Amino acid sequence: MAGSRLPRRLFLQGVAAVFMFAFASLYTQIPGLYGPEGILPARKTLRPQGKGRWQQLWETPTLLWEAPRLGLDTAQGLELLSLLGTLLALGALLLSPLRHPVVYLLLWAAYLSACQVGQVFLYFQWDSLLLETGFLAVLVAPLRPASHRKQAPQGGRAGALPHEDLPFWLVRWLLFRLMFASGVVKLTSRCPAWWGLTALTYHYETQCLPTPAAWFAHHLPVWLHKLSVVATFLIEIAVPPLFFAPIRRLRLAAFYSQVLLQVLIIITGNYNFFNLMTLVLTTALLDDQHLAAEPGHGSRKKMATSWPKALLATLSLLLELAVYGFLAYGTVHYFGLEVDWQQCTIHSRTTFTFHQFSQWLKTLTLPTVWLGVASLAWELLSALWRWTQVRGWLRKFSAAVKLSLVSTATVALFLISLVPYSYVEPGTHGRLWTGAHRLFGAVEHLQLANSYGLFRRMTGLGGRPEVVLEGSYDGHHWTEIEFMYKPGNLSRPPPVVVPHQPRLDWQMWFAALGPHTHSPWFTSLVLRLLQGKEPVIRLIQSQVARYPFHKQPPTYVRAQRYKYWFSQPGEQGQWWRRQWVEEFFPPVSLGDPTLETLLRQFGLQDKSPARARSANSTLAQALHWTRTQLSPLEAPALLWGLLVAIGTVRVVQALLAPWSLWSSPLAPASGEKRRPAPHKDSGAASEQATPAPHPCTSSSRTARRKK
């Protein structure tokens, strides 16, 4: 595999972009979710226990402990962290000097701080995935830009240090854990929709926030849905081991299969920054040669090579074809693929049982661990070999220290990640080295490694459950309270809000899957609507004038449960159909005994008033002014605006680059013929001291769980 300088740079830019979207999206929702008048006030989560400052910080690692020292309450501190995180991530995305370990450490610490007080609204797998990936970015980011390095090790890639590829291998390992576990849990859950290959006949309709494209995907033929499920199993279970394949083309094929899956999910569903984060992880499967598209590469292939190299190339090609043939045969055999030429369809069905799959999983889970061990060992040996090529005892000593530290950190994180990964198979979990369990237990609260399992079970098989809030002034005439993003109005098309995550709308989707007592926060939502709290109203309608009770809060609030289905083709002006199921939350008013009982039961009564805030604090005033300026913007528009701004800056940078080159002192005088520069990879002239004499290897990976 060729060098990983360009993929690492792409990875760091991608992580910065996702952090920017995550912080900006969260910022728009803080007052309604965590403010003093929000659904779950953040100040309730941080109560001093009389412990030492550092012990308190270790047990509950959040920078928000320091908010009172700045004259801010917890929610204001969270706003400050989100704003600073957005700006810092934006800087790292646009300016290469800011892609530094300290910057990514600050981003990780800020998001971890938010998650500590985020409660149920930040308990999603992608939040854990962002934390784990963000910590890996701390290790991947270079201490010094490549352009500042004096010379490359002899026999190594230009500007490359022996240890640089090691942390990036953890990214590849994370991607493997994420995808493999997500595929396995679909079958270990015994969900009949996944086993019957019919999951996608429900998924587009029942996912949390579908896009308009989901309506069209839902109406595709059933045989195509079933074939798509087969392809999903292939991409998520069979392909991930190829991430560690010694043949470069196999890794690239695995890369494009993962990208295809994520792009299709983005088109048909609003999964905020999750799919973008997964695409960022796939950069660990790329190399400099593939990204730089060297024009001279093809001509070099035509040059005569020695017979051992020709034999090795032939054997690699045969092995590659054998792998493709094995995957094709396995897919046809285990999913009973049959072509119906008369109807032009492909029939599919599972031909294995749950017991057979469980036995297969027991047999293969531990070997996948050893696959990771072998791949990591190869990376360590490669790094050691690169270190032996370093010239000069002082430089060699410095490289040895860095290699030792980075190798220790890489191995430690790999061992920690084995514990959550082994959750997919209990037998393997019990056979892990006890030291790995102790390491994981010591740092579990830092979310350095997590377990994952996306779309474990398909919900809404009999119709999409949806909770509809209603308000009334007299208890007889009820008006529906429509949310901006989740389904409600039958004639409103599904929105496109990616990369924003409307966290209240997401929790409403989870709440509809069970009784309201399983979602205690819902009672607090009802209370805030009865009180007419504007921060919460803005979570439902950012333009308060569109809220039906914006002039006066409703006297009564209740909630009904419906079942929703996509409309059929030909139903003009309708995107949804629905049917009433039952009452979800009884009609209540302020002071109602039922409401008061629920508030006491869930510990939602706020007996201690909020501490007096320093409204005259300059920092508090600045935060209030910023909120006032940004509040008219809807969250998706704010995030898309950031995206447009980034694109504009990139275009300007690209346009100014030729001018800066000609205006430099090295530019030729007028009338002097300019000599062609020696060929380098795109971006290499500014980041490498000398051209690379030959390609080399690199890799990476890591992951975690929650909802």
Side-chain angles (χ1 to χ4, degrees):
M1 186 174 183
S4 65
R5 180 181 54 83
L6 293 178
R8 277 187 276 119
R9 187 170 67 182
L10 195 60
F11 168 75
L12 292 174
Q13 289 176 315
V15 172
V18 174
F19 265 125
M20 181 189 69
F21 291 136
F23 279 121
S25 174
L26 179 62
Y27 172 78
T28 63
Q29 305 172 76
I30 289 173
L33 295 179
Y34 304 119
E37 297 179 342
I39 298 173
L40 296 176
R43 62 187 176 85
K44 294 183 179 181
T45 62
L46 294 182
R47 300 191 183 278
Q49 304 294 327
K51 299 177 181 178
R53 183 179 180 183
W54 294 108
Q55 181 183 359
Q56 182 176 261
L57 184 61
W58 174 254
E59 293 180 357
T60 308
T62 175
L63 299 174
L64 295 174
W65 287 115
E66 305 301 315
R69 296 175 182 268
L70 301 175
L72 306 175
D73 62 22
T74 306
Q76 288 176 317
L78 187 55
E79 284 192 28
L80 179 61
L81 277 182
S82 299
L83 281 174
L84 293 178
T86 302
L87 294 175
L88 195 59
L90 178 61
L93 179 58
L94 295 176
L95 304 173
S96 58
L98 287 180
R99 292 176 211 134
H100 190 275
V102 173
V103 171
Y104 287 98
L105 181 62
L106 290 174
L107 291 172
W108 172 80
Y111 205 74
L112 179 64
S113 299
C115 288
Q116 296 300 311
V117 301
Q119 305 166 78
V120 69
F121 294 107
L122 276 167
Y123 284 179
F124 292 94
Q125 292 193 47
W126 34 85
D127 294 314
S128 301
L129 180 64
L130 179 55
L131 283 173
E132 188 170 352
T133 307
F135 191 79
L136 291 184
V138 177
L139 300 178
V140 173
L143 284 171
R144 291 188 304 166
S147 57
H148 293 167
R149 296 170 193 164
K150 294 184 179 179
Q151 74 177 63
Q154 295 295 325
R157 296 188 307 276
L161 297 174
H163 67 274
E164 284 185 333
D165 288 342
L166 283 177
F168 201 43
W169 179 90
L170 289 171
V171 181
R172 191 186 305 185
W173 173 245
L174 169 55
L175 179 64
F176 170 79
R177 287 166 39 220
L178 171 68
M179 301 310 301
F180 186 75
S182 296
V184 165
V185 298
K186 292 176 174 60
L187 294 174
T188 56
S189 67
R190 301 196 184 200
C191 175
W194 286 115
W195 278 91
L197 306 181
T198 58
L200 292 185
T201 61
Y202 307 103
H203 166 73
Y204 300 112
E205 179 178 72
T206 62
Q207 61 183 322
C208 180
L209 296 177
T211 65
W215 186 92
F216 296 96
H218 176 73
H219 292 293
L220 291 173
V222 174
W223 70 267
L224 189 55
H225 284 309
K226 298 179 75 172
L227 191 62
S228 299
V229 173
V230 173
T232 300
F233 285 136
L234 177 67
I235 293 173
E236 292 187 344
I237 299 178
V239 170
L242 298 182
F243 298 168
F244 307 104
I247 301 175
R248 178 173 173 270
R249 285 193 298 266
L250 287 176
R251 293 194 299 271
L252 293 178
F255 164 78
Y256 283 108
S257 68
Q258 303 303 316
V259 169
L260 174 64
L261 177 62
Q262 299 307 317
V263 168
L264 290 176
I265 295 175
I266 290 173
I267 292 173
T268 57
N270 289 288
Y271 288 95
N272 49 81
F273 56 82
F274 165 65
N275 303 109
L276 301 177
M277 186 80 264
T278 307
L279 288 173
V280 169
L281 293 178
T282 61
T283 58
L285 303 176
L286 298 174
D287 54 44
D288 289 341
Q289 179 181 307
H290 190 69
L291 289 177
E294 299 172 350
H297 183 66
S299 60
R300 286 196 298 268
K301 278 187 175 180
K302 298 177 182 179
M303 296 173 59
T305 57
S306 60
W307 71 264
K309 290 185 178 180
L311 178 61
L312 183 61
T314 303
L315 292 176
S316 297
L317 178 60
L318 292 176
L319 180 58
E320 182 182 357
L321 294 175
V323 169
Y324 295 143
F326 177 77
L327 290 177
Y329 171 78
T331 303
V332 172
H333 176 73
Y334 288 108
F335 293 100
L337 299 185
E338 296 179 357
V339 179
D340 188 333
W341 298 105
Q342 292 183 346
Q343 299 183 3
C344 297
T345 61
I346 301 177
H347 300 292
S348 54
R349 56 187 175 82
T350 51
T351 61
F352 54 93
T353 64
F354 176 79
H355 176 73
Q356 290 173 325
F357 179 75
S358 299
Q359 292 300 120
W360 174 87
L361 192 60
K362 288 180 181 179
T363 304
L364 288 187
T365 302
L366 194 57
T368 60
V369 172
W370 286 112
L371 175 64
V373 170
S375 181
L376 178 56
W378 176 259
E379 292 295 331
L380 290 169
L381 290 174
S382 300
L384 185 60
W385 179 83
R386 290 193 294 270
W387 173 78
T388 62
Q389 308 304 306
V390 177
R391 299 296 177 84
W393 69 269
L394 187 59
R395 194 175 295 136
K396 202 177 190 75
F397 175 76
S398 174
V401 172
K402 295 176 183 177
L403 179 59
S404 300
L405 293 175
V406 172
S407 298
T408 302
T410 301
V411 172
L413 286 174
F414 173 70
L415 289 174
I416 291 170
S417 70
L418 291 179
V419 177
Y421 169 66
S422 63
Y423 290 157
V424 298
E425 207 286 296
T428 303
H429 182 74
R431 285 186 285 174
L432 282 182
W433 178 47
T434 55
H437 287 280
R438 287 196 298 269
L439 276 174
F440 176 74
V443 298
E444 183 177 8
H445 64 297
L446 299 178
Q447 301 192 31
L448 301 182
N450 308 275
S451 63
Y452 302 96
L454 300 164
F455 306 107
R456 184 185 302 266
R457 295 188 66 87
M458 198 53 56
T459 59
L461 301 187
R464 172 199 181 95
E466 198 67 59
V467 171
V468 176
L469 279 162
E470 298 176 339
S472 172
Y473 290 119
D474 57 10
H476 299 289
H477 302 88
W478 295 89
T479 302
E480 291 189 7
I481 299 175
E482 185 176 352
F483 283 64
M484 285 184 291
Y485 309 117
K486 80 179 195 69
N489 188 331
L490 303 182
S491 60
R492 191 188 65 184
V496 176
V497 299
V498 68
H500 172 57
Q501 180 182 2
R503 295 182 180 268
L504 177 58
D505 294 64
W506 267 87
Q507 286 300 332
M508 289 289 289
W509 182 80
F510 282 105
L513 301 178
H516 72 84
T517 52
H518 289 179
S519 304
W521 59 268
F522 190 85
T523 303
S524 181
L525 172 63
V526 170
L527 173 66
R528 296 309 192 197
L529 294 180
L530 288 169
Q531 294 172 338
K533 299 301 183 183
E534 184 175 321
V536 176
I537 292 173
R538 285 187 176 276
L539 293 177
I540 297 173
Q541 287 292 340
S542 60
Q543 302 297 328
V544 178
R546 299 178 183 175
Y547 180 68
F549 301 98
H550 65 278
K551 293 182 179 179
Q552 180 183 347
T555 307
Y556 302 93
V557 169
R558 71 180 184 184
Q560 308 286 348
R561 195 197 317 262
Y562 287 84
K563 284 192 176 181
Y564 274 65
W565 297 270
F566 272 139
S567 62
Q568 294 297 320
E571 295 183 33
Q572 297 295 328
Q574 295 289 312
W575 286 85
W576 297 96
R577 299 177 290 120
R578 76 178 184 182
Q579 178 182 339
W580 181 85
V581 177
E582 61 184 350
E583 182 179 77
F584 180 78
F585 195 92
V588 294
S589 59
L590 289 176
D592 189 290
T594 301
L595 180 61
E596 295 298 322
T597 300
L598 289 171
L599 291 173
R600 281 196 305 271
Q601 177 183 344
F602 299 134
L604 296 171
Q605 282 185 320
D606 196 1
K607 298 179 181 179
S608 58
R611 296 178 183 176
R613 295 184 292 178
S614 178
N616 296 325
S617 162
T618 304
L619 188 55
Q621 289 179 347
L623 289 172
H624 177 71
W625 180 85
T626 305
R627 173 69 61 185
T628 304
Q629 300 303 309
L630 296 177
S631 58
L633 291 175
E634 290 190 13
L638 177 62
L639 269 64
W640 295 338
L642 283 172
L643 198 58
V644 171
I646 292 168
T648 304
V649 171
R650 287 295 190 191
V651 170
V652 172
Q653 288 176 336
L655 293 175
L656 292 180
W659 292 100
S660 62
L661 180 63
W662 279 94
S663 62
S664 68
L666 299 179
S670 69
E672 179 183 346
K673 188 174 182 180
R674 189 179 182 90
R675 296 181 182 178
H679 170 73
K680 290 186 181 181
D681 291 349
S682 61
S686 62
E687 298 195 11
Q688 293 184 356
T690 55
H694 60 68
C696 201
T697 327
S698 130
S699 36
S700 170
R701 183 150 334 260
T702 286
R704 157 108 187 231
R705 82 149 163 28
K706 257 180 187 167
K707 244 172 188 171

